[in-house]
PDB file of all heavy atoms in Angstrom:
ATOM      1  N   LEU A1565       6.646   8.903  -1.633  1.00 97.00           N
ATOM      2  CA  LEU A1565       5.341   8.244  -1.737  1.00 97.00           C
ATOM      3  C   LEU A1565       4.549   8.257  -0.429  1.00 97.00           C
ATOM      4  O   LEU A1565       3.412   7.794  -0.394  1.00 97.00           O
ATOM      5  CB  LEU A1565       5.521   6.787  -2.192  1.00 97.00           C
ATOM      6  CG  LEU A1565       6.044   6.590  -3.604  1.00 97.00           C
ATOM      7  CD1 LEU A1565       6.308   5.107  -3.864  1.00 97.00           C
ATOM      8  CD2 LEU A1565       5.058   7.144  -4.633  1.00 97.00           C
ATOM      9  N   SER A1566       5.130   8.779   0.640  1.00 95.00           N
ATOM     10  CA  SER A1566       4.478   8.722   1.950  1.00 95.00           C
ATOM     11  C   SER A1566       3.986  10.100   2.380  1.00 95.00           C
ATOM     12  O   SER A1566       4.263  11.103   1.735  1.00 95.00           O
ATOM     13  CB  SER A1566       5.444   8.152   2.988  1.00 95.00           C
ATOM     14  OG  SER A1566       6.537   9.027   3.155  1.00 95.00           O
ATOM     15  N   ASP A1567       3.246  10.103   3.490  1.00 91.00           N
ATOM     16  CA  ASP A1567       2.795  11.375   4.056  1.00 91.00           C
ATOM     17  C   ASP A1567       2.572  11.220   5.557  1.00 91.00           C
ATOM     18  O   ASP A1567       2.642  10.125   6.098  1.00 91.00           O
ATOM     19  CB  ASP A1567       1.520  11.866   3.369  1.00 91.00           C
ATOM     20  CG  ASP A1567       0.371  10.882   3.455  1.00 91.00           C
ATOM     21  OD1 ASP A1567       0.417   9.939   4.264  1.00 91.00           O
ATOM     22  OD2 ASP A1567      -0.606  11.052   2.710  1.00 91.00           O
ATOM     23  N   GLY A1568       2.359  12.325   6.221  1.00 89.00           N
ATOM     24  CA  GLY A1568       2.026  12.320   7.640  1.00 89.00           C
ATOM     25  C   GLY A1568       3.081  11.683   8.517  1.00 89.00           C
ATOM     26  O   GLY A1568       4.283  11.906   8.342  1.00 89.00           O
ATOM     27  N   GLU A1569       2.619  10.887   9.481  1.00 91.00           N
ATOM     28  CA  GLU A1569       3.507  10.226  10.441  1.00 91.00           C
ATOM     29  C   GLU A1569       4.515   9.313   9.743  1.00 91.00           C
ATOM     30  O   GLU A1569       5.666   9.219  10.165  1.00 91.00           O
ATOM     31  CB  GLU A1569       2.706   9.430  11.471  1.00 91.00           C
ATOM     32  CG  GLU A1569       2.020  10.289  12.501  1.00 91.00           C
ATOM     33  CD  GLU A1569       3.009  11.097  13.322  1.00 91.00           C
ATOM     34  OE1 GLU A1569       4.025  10.539  13.787  1.00 91.00           O
ATOM     35  OE2 GLU A1569       2.773  12.309  13.484  1.00 91.00           O
ATOM     36  N   THR A1570       4.070   8.637   8.706  1.00 94.00           N
ATOM     37  CA  THR A1570       4.967   7.750   7.969  1.00 94.00           C
ATOM     38  C   THR A1570       6.126   8.544   7.382  1.00 94.00           C
ATOM     39  O   THR A1570       7.282   8.130   7.472  1.00 94.00           O
ATOM     40  CB  THR A1570       4.201   7.006   6.861  1.00 94.00           C
ATOM     41  OG1 THR A1570       3.127   6.282   7.444  1.00 94.00           O
ATOM     42  CG2 THR A1570       5.100   6.046   6.116  1.00 94.00           C
ATOM     43  N   LYS A1571       5.814   9.683   6.805  1.00 95.00           N
ATOM     44  CA  LYS A1571       6.863  10.513   6.210  1.00 95.00           C
ATOM     45  C   LYS A1571       7.858  10.951   7.283  1.00 95.00           C
ATOM     46  O   LYS A1571       9.076  10.920   7.055  1.00 95.00           O
ATOM     47  CB  LYS A1571       6.251  11.722   5.515  1.00 95.00           C
ATOM     48  CG  LYS A1571       7.238  12.516   4.706  1.00 95.00           C
ATOM     49  CD  LYS A1571       6.536  13.575   3.885  1.00 95.00           C
ATOM     50  CE  LYS A1571       7.466  14.060   2.805  1.00 95.00           C
ATOM     51  NZ  LYS A1571       6.764  14.573   1.655  1.00 95.00           N
ATOM     52  N   ASN A1572       7.373  11.342   8.446  1.00 95.00           N
ATOM     53  CA  ASN A1572       8.264  11.745   9.542  1.00 95.00           C
ATOM     54  C   ASN A1572       9.176  10.594   9.951  1.00 95.00           C
ATOM     55  O   ASN A1572      10.374  10.788  10.171  1.00 95.00           O
ATOM     56  CB  ASN A1572       7.456  12.224  10.755  1.00 95.00           C
ATOM     57  CG  ASN A1572       6.738  13.526  10.487  1.00 95.00           C
ATOM     58  OD1 ASN A1572       7.128  14.304   9.627  1.00 95.00           O
ATOM     59  ND2 ASN A1572       5.674  13.763  11.229  1.00 95.00           N
ATOM     60  N   GLU A1573       8.617   9.409  10.082  1.00 94.00           N
ATOM     61  CA  GLU A1573       9.400   8.223  10.440  1.00 94.00           C
ATOM     62  C   GLU A1573      10.455   7.937   9.372  1.00 94.00           C
ATOM     63  O   GLU A1573      11.612   7.642   9.678  1.00 94.00           O
ATOM     64  CB  GLU A1573       8.475   7.018  10.612  1.00 94.00           C
ATOM     65  CG  GLU A1573       9.181   5.728  10.909  1.00 94.00           C
ATOM     66  CD  GLU A1573       9.868   5.702  12.271  1.00 94.00           C
ATOM     67  OE1 GLU A1573       9.472   6.468  13.170  1.00 94.00           O
ATOM     68  OE2 GLU A1573      10.804   4.909  12.425  1.00 94.00           O
ATOM     69  N   TYR A1574      10.061   8.017   8.114  1.00 96.00           N
ATOM     70  CA  TYR A1574      10.984   7.741   7.016  1.00 96.00           C
ATOM     71  C   TYR A1574      12.110   8.770   6.964  1.00 96.00           C
ATOM     72  O   TYR A1574      13.235   8.442   6.588  1.00 96.00           O
ATOM     73  CB  TYR A1574      10.245   7.700   5.688  1.00 96.00           C
ATOM     74  CG  TYR A1574       9.432   6.446   5.461  1.00 96.00           C
ATOM     75  CD1 TYR A1574       8.637   6.314   4.338  1.00 96.00           C
ATOM     76  CD2 TYR A1574       9.448   5.379   6.356  1.00 96.00           C
ATOM     77  CE1 TYR A1574       7.897   5.173   4.103  1.00 96.00           C
ATOM     78  CE2 TYR A1574       8.706   4.242   6.133  1.00 96.00           C
ATOM     79  CZ  TYR A1574       7.931   4.149   5.001  1.00 96.00           C
ATOM     80  OH  TYR A1574       7.201   3.008   4.770  1.00 96.00           O
ATOM     81  N   GLU A1575      11.815  10.010   7.322  1.00 96.00           N
ATOM     82  CA  GLU A1575      12.864  11.027   7.343  1.00 96.00           C
ATOM     83  C   GLU A1575      13.886  10.734   8.445  1.00 96.00           C
ATOM     84  O   GLU A1575      15.081  10.972   8.271  1.00 96.00           O
ATOM     85  CB  GLU A1575      12.251  12.417   7.482  1.00 96.00           C
ATOM     86  CG  GLU A1575      11.560  12.844   6.195  1.00 96.00           C
ATOM     87  CD  GLU A1575      10.717  14.096   6.301  1.00 96.00           C
ATOM     88  OE1 GLU A1575      10.423  14.543   7.432  1.00 96.00           O
ATOM     89  OE2 GLU A1575      10.339  14.618   5.239  1.00 96.00           O
ATOM     90  N   LYS A1576      13.430  10.173   9.563  1.00 95.00           N
ATOM     91  CA  LYS A1576      14.356   9.763  10.629  1.00 95.00           C
ATOM     92  C   LYS A1576      15.259   8.635  10.135  1.00 95.00           C
ATOM     93  O   LYS A1576      16.453   8.601  10.424  1.00 95.00           O
ATOM     94  CB  LYS A1576      13.582   9.306  11.863  1.00 95.00           C
ATOM     95  CG  LYS A1576      12.889  10.420  12.600  1.00 95.00           C
ATOM     96  CD  LYS A1576      12.101   9.862  13.761  1.00 95.00           C
ATOM     97  CE  LYS A1576      11.211  10.921  14.393  1.00 95.00           C
ATOM     98  NZ  LYS A1576      10.340  10.349  15.428  1.00 95.00           N
ATOM     99  N   ARG A1577      14.669   7.704   9.413  1.00 96.00           N
ATOM    100  CA  ARG A1577      15.471   6.609   8.862  1.00 96.00           C
ATOM    101  C   ARG A1577      16.503   7.138   7.883  1.00 96.00           C
ATOM    102  O   ARG A1577      17.651   6.699   7.876  1.00 96.00           O
ATOM    103  CB  ARG A1577      14.570   5.590   8.165  1.00 96.00           C
ATOM    104  CG  ARG A1577      13.683   4.836   9.097  1.00 96.00           C
ATOM    105  CD  ARG A1577      12.868   3.825   8.341  1.00 96.00           C
ATOM    106  NE  ARG A1577      11.879   3.203   9.204  1.00 96.00           N
ATOM    107  CZ  ARG A1577      11.207   2.116   8.901  1.00 96.00           C
ATOM    108  NH1 ARG A1577      11.417   1.524   7.732  1.00 96.00           N
ATOM    109  NH2 ARG A1577      10.333   1.612   9.732  1.00 96.00           N
ATOM    110  N   LEU A1578      16.083   8.081   7.043  1.00 98.00           N
ATOM    111  CA  LEU A1578      17.006   8.669   6.074  1.00 98.00           C
ATOM    112  C   LEU A1578      18.202   9.295   6.792  1.00 98.00           C
ATOM    113  O   LEU A1578      19.349   9.115   6.370  1.00 98.00           O
ATOM    114  CB  LEU A1578      16.292   9.706   5.207  1.00 98.00           C
ATOM    115  CG  LEU A1578      17.160  10.425   4.183  1.00 98.00           C
ATOM    116  CD1 LEU A1578      17.764   9.443   3.178  1.00 98.00           C
ATOM    117  CD2 LEU A1578      16.338  11.493   3.465  1.00 98.00           C
TER     118      LEU A1578
END
Side-chain angles (χ1 to χ4, degrees):
L1565 293 174
S1566 65
D1567 58 15
E1569 286 299 314
T1570 303
K1571 189 172 197 154
N1572 292 336
E1573 177 67 23
Y1574 285 176
E1575 288 170 346
K1576 289 177 189 174
R1577 292 182 187 194
L1578 178 61

